[in-house]
Amino acid sequence: MKKWVYFFGAGRAEGKGEWKDLLGGKGAGLAEMTRIGLPVPAGFTISTEVCDFFYKNGKKYPPTLRKEVAAHVTRLEKVTRKKLGDPRNPLLVSVRSGSARSMPGMMETILNLGLNDRSVEGLAATTKNDRFAYDAYRRFVQMYSTVVMGMSKEDLEHRLRAMKSRLGVKEDTAVPASGWKELVAEYKTLFQQKTGEPFPDDPMDHLWGAIGAVFGSWMAEKAVTYRRVEKITGLLGTAVNVVQMVFGNTGNNSGTGVCFTRDPSSGEKVFYGDFLVNAQGEDVVAGIRTPMHLSEMAKVMPKVYAQLEKARVILEKHYRDMQDMEFTVEDGKLYLLQTRTGKRTPAAAFRIAVDMANEKLITKEEAIQRIKPEDIERLFYPVIDPKLDKKSLQSRVLATGINAVPGAAVGKVVFNAHDAEEWAGRGEKVILVRRETSPEDVGGMAVAQGIVTATGGKTSHAAVVARGWGKCCIVGAEKLDIDYQNHRMMAGGKTVKEGEWVTLDGGEGVVYVGDLPLVTPELPKAYTTLLKWADDRRTLGVRTNADTPQDARKAREFGAEGIGLVRTEHMFFTDFEQPEKGHERQRAIQEMILADTREARVRALDKLLPFQRRDFVGIFRAMDGLPVTIRLIDPPLHEFVPHERAKQEELARDLKIDVGAVVRRVEQLHEANPMLGHRGCRLAITYPEILEMQVRAIIEAAIECTKAGIKVIPEIMHPLTLDRKEYQILDQATRRIADDLIKKSGVKLHYLVGTMIELPRAALLAGEIAELAEFFSFGTNDLTQTTMGLSRDDAGRFLPDYVDEKKAGVFAADPFQSLDTKGVGLLMQWGIERGRKTRPKLEVGICGEHAGDGDSVKFCHKLRMDYVSASPFLVPIARLAAAQAAIEEKLEKRRRKK
Ligand code: PEP
Ligand code: MG
């Protein structure tokens, strides 16, 4: 017969610490603590498999469960020498949730179960404390009514307050037994009124009600949301822990506390925690009374404290990680109620991992495995001051969107890029709010503190550009009604006008009204140590996506080993070194687009050439000795010409042409589906002169730098290739120009020519393309878009439903953020295998946004790519994930050998 329930108590446990998937973290922890001889109250755990069964079978329990639970209650009664509902010496239990991954506060708990009108008398008699017994009873009735029967918490709290004011007392501790007795009766009457039934009497019925409530809370809205946000997937469900109650509120020789084996904020090796005398656990959590620090507890209860300190050492040694423990002292006796791996700040995560490795408690490889990619991300960005009151923060929410780039930003709202530049020029801090952004907006985006768009997903223009700069960005804030004409935006009944302050939380994707205080975390020393350990172990290279010398330098500081993608078109509108020249560049590209003849186009491109060359010189210098992959023009041309009448007129005036010609050209360029239109290398096929200018700029810059003693390794990359013959035309044109320039210069310069793989056809025919291409770089933004047939710019509207377990729940994560390894990944695998079959030394990388996502990087390692190329701020994440992938592989091999 299948076993559903696991017992622990009296020094023995049926479960084990490793069985977290089956018993949940709490259940496994209690079993393990029992096994290693720590003082733990007895109890049993109903496994997560029951939760799984429950939801797969129309919310029914396995047929044998009732019998098994009843048997375990009997066993618990034997061990504790008490009986559930006994009017003389009643057994009281707590019923708590606990899944394999900690979800604090997300699921339900019932305490003091076992009390009814008769057994409460028994409790009063055995503890010789009426007040305590009736307080426990009212807590139970209150919890049962709200948690199990869904009655309003506020309703009951209100009655509690009314009772206290009737008695003229302020603190709960001052309420006499008669007050609690009165309140229990009142609660029960309310219960009957609301449910039409009397309050149940039998503790066994209570137990089943509580078990049902815990299993039910697994699918409660907040729990589902928490799992989505924390990317918790693949769990069977929650377990239910039924544990003998111990009381911290029986007098001044009792108490309850929560502690961490190290400081969870700094990671320092000090015992850290709070203790409340004469209190129950919920009092600590609720924060009603101010607890004392553990150092004070050491003075008040030295013996118990010494025991606790001993438990701290045992637990850290045993679990080899920082623990978060809950304990209760009942009449001078210590009980550990829970231990789990403690949550910590990112800075603490680094310090604890490095310290523990240095203390030889864990290996360096384990230390590397302990860091989550988000820990790194959060180290660099400012955040909204965590000390801020949560309630007032909540009242300031204007809208929520997709958290494209983390960090926080404060500024005055402007609604167009031009204003952003003007205001910033005056020294104002601005937040740029747009329905969406396009290359035209880049100047304004660059000067803004943060960016918000009403549409778009994680690979929309705004998200990609902002990520490159590590600039706080929220996209797809669909509820924002942006009124460009009247310079204001509305959402949720609030209006924010131009010039008013807003604060962005890019990590959570929330826009707040007002200017909130920000704090920037300090980079811990342990960060450098741990990343060095990671670099020593990874085999996958890490490059960066950078379009400017500044970004390139930043990326190098973050540890980039080259550039995997320079998006050249990002330089068409903005001059990052001489901003006043931005306009000139812009006009040159626009003149080229508006030109009717090849000659006129060449003339316009000749104006752009020196700008591009200067940019490349800057980037090559910054990347001295490292490879730089430069991609030729990619977006459809309509993105570079204005669509508003006033701007079209201005352009016509500047170029001294008829505005009608501008309008006509813009109309001509219009495409129903520009993402699948005239873009990528198709542009160079139609306008070879663009390719000629760009290759010339790259090679001339490379020659100039080589002459100056800089080591340049250029890789020229063609985007969106779909066919061998198409690629051949581009490849030949590229080499003709490059070889000619190099020959004339007399310098020795080696360069590569290759392609992005961004279309399923290119991946499928990779074997043919690799006959000519020297390298592949997977552009997984477009490859995801084209494989899935989902627009990267529009899918943000419905994709959240696809990753929401409560809605469609089709994907575990947004496929534009975390690689769809099953579908898109299959094409990548195929492409790499075929490509390398043709050309064994084919260099393979990835430059889509996925290269900054931990799980995706691990997948790239498995595919034996040469490198991943991520935005500068994500480079450390890629370094860490690459090391973790190498370590995981090593462990897997070792496991298989065994
Ligand atoms: C891609 O498609 O993955 C890519 C890197 O190119 P872009 O985002 O510029 O289209
Ligand atoms: Mg692309």
Side-chain angles (χ1 to χ4, degrees), residues 565 567 631 634 679 756 758 779-782 792 847-848:
L565 174 64
R567 289 179 167 101
R631 180 182 75 183
D634 180 59
R679 62 172 287 219
M756 294 191 66
E758 301 179 88
T780 44
N781 302 334
D782 275 310
R792 57 195 269 194
C847 62

Side-chain angles (χ1 to χ4, degrees), residues 203 345 366 571 669 737:
T345 63
E366 281 172 308
M571 305 162 190
L669 288 175
I737 298 158

Side-chain angles (χ1 to χ4, degrees), residues 167-331:
L167 296 177
V169 299
K170 270 204 172 133
E171 302 288 335
D172 285 7
T173 41
V175 177
S178 59
W180 294 130
K181 222 180 212 174
E182 197 185 304
L183 194 64
V184 166
E186 215 179 307
Y187 282 170
K188 287 191 171 179
T189 312
L190 185 69
F191 186 95
Q192 176 126 29
Q193 278 166 6
K194 294 270 175 193
T195 64
E197 313 231 336
F199 192 86
D201 183 59
D202 182 352
M204 244 357 231
D205 290 343
H206 295 160
L207 181 60
W208 282 104
I211 292 170
V214 172
F215 283 136
S217 66
W218 174 250
M219 277 297 176
E221 186 87 35
K222 62 176 176 179
V224 172
T225 307
Y226 185 86
R227 292 199 290 276
R228 177 161 46 79
V229 173
E230 294 284 315
K231 293 200 201 150
I232 300 177
T233 53
L235 301 187
L236 288 179
T238 181
V240 179
N241 298 291
V242 178
V243 186
Q244 177 198 4
M245 286 289 305
V246 287
F247 292 97
N249 56 343
T250 56
N252 285 340
N253 203 17
S254 301
T256 185
V258 178
C259 55
F260 293 85
T261 55
R262 300 185 188 217
D263 183 337
S265 309
S266 68
E268 199 191 338
K269 195 178 176 186
V270 289
F271 203 8
Y272 180 97
D274 291 329
F275 181 68
L276 259 182
V277 173
N278 195 10
Q280 264 195 304
E282 48 175 348
D283 302 331
V284 182
V285 183
I288 307 163
R289 282 165 55 197
T290 313
M292 61 172 76
H293 191 263
L294 282 189
S295 52
E296 264 178 86
M297 182 201 171
K299 289 180 207 145
V300 192
M301 293 185 184
K303 266 199 191 141
V304 183
Y305 179 80
Q307 253 181 299
L308 190 64
E309 172 68 47
K310 227 178 181 174
R312 169 197 177 200
V313 177
I314 293 173
L315 281 172
E316 259 208 0
K317 257 212 181 123
H318 187 74
Y319 284 103
R320 305 160 73 242
D321 202 351
M322 186 263 269
Q323 295 293 298
D324 162 1
M325 306 141 63
E326 281 178 22
F327 65 94
T328 283
V329 183
E330 188 183 71
D331 298 327

Side-chain angles (χ1 to χ4, degrees), residues 459-460 464 545 565 567 569-570 631 634-635 675 679 717 719-720 756-758 777-785 792 846-850 869:
T459 55
S460 63
V464 170
N545 294 357
L565 174 64
R567 289 179 167 101
E569 66 275 3
H570 283 179
R631 180 182 75 183
D634 180 59
M675 268 294 179
R679 62 172 287 219
M717 181 156 77
L720 280 164
M756 294 191 66
I757 302 290
E758 301 179 88
S777 175
F778 282 87
T780 44
N781 302 334
D782 275 310
L783 190 60
T784 301
Q785 165 169 264
R792 57 195 269 194
I846 174 177
C847 62
E849 295 306 300
H850 303 94
S869 183

